[in-house]
Amino acid sequence: MGKYTKQDIFRMVEEEDVEFIRLQFTDMFGVLKNVAITSSQLGKALDNKCMFDGSSVEGFVRIEESDMYLYPDYDSFVVLPWNHLSDGKTARLICDVYCSDRTPFIGDPRNVLKRAI
């Protein structure tokens, strides 16, 4: 059982006045990438429905296979302490990368580590 549930994350976003969430992942070279969403899109993200263009990330996929999904790791949720805008705070969720057919992306470093473990 994980540390956080979907309801916990919604509650923390509300209590902490979080306005933006960064859905973070790494490319094949370990460089941190992210897709920023507003708190109103959080439900979509937590339901694994946030997509991004994988062909725009070096080493990921060709343009024909570009639709990829981000699956947030609920336990990685944290409000960023250095990014407090007057309009609200920013939080982050570390994500696994999945292909358009909802299978784990073989080039996702988190996926590689999980398979190795």
Side-chain angles (χ1 to χ4, degrees):
M1 178 89 183
K3 178 169 67 169
Y4 294 134
T5 65
K6 190 185 296 189
Q7 292 75 23
D8 291 334
I9 294 172
F10 280 121
R11 180 183 46 76
M12 289 185 288
V13 165
E14 181 71 28
E15 288 174 358
E16 293 286 333
D17 191 30
V18 172
E19 182 67 27
F20 299 100
I21 297 101
R22 294 185 179 272
L23 304 177
Q24 298 181 329
F25 61 98
T26 56
D27 67 14
M28 293 181 69
F29 305 106
V31 178
L32 187 64
K33 306 289 184 183
N34 77 90
V35 173
I37 62 171
T38 62
S39 58
S40 65
Q41 297 172 302
L42 181 60
K44 181 178 176 182
L46 296 178
D47 288 337
N48 306 323
K49 294 180 182 174
C50 278
M51 297 178 73
F52 73 100
D53 179 6
S55 67
S56 64
V57 179
E58 188 174 355
F60 266 32
V61 294
R62 297 173 300 183
I63 190 73
E64 299 83 23
E65 309 157 330
S66 63
D67 293 338
M68 304 189 90
Y69 288 91
L70 295 173
Y71 281 43
D73 176 355
Y74 292 2
D75 293 340
S76 70
F77 179 84
V78 68
V79 177
L80 300 176
W82 60 84
N83 200 356
H84 293 193
L85 301 173
S86 59
D87 304 10
K89 299 175 185 173
T90 300
R92 72 103 158 100
L93 283 160
I94 298 173
C95 300
D96 294 312
V97 179
Y98 277 68
C99 299
S100 59
D101 64 358
R102 301 294 185 151
T103 58
F105 175 51
I106 197 163
D108 176 19
R110 284 176 56 96
N111 180 30
V112 172
L113 179 61
K114 287 177 183 179
R115 288 183 295 147
I117 292 174

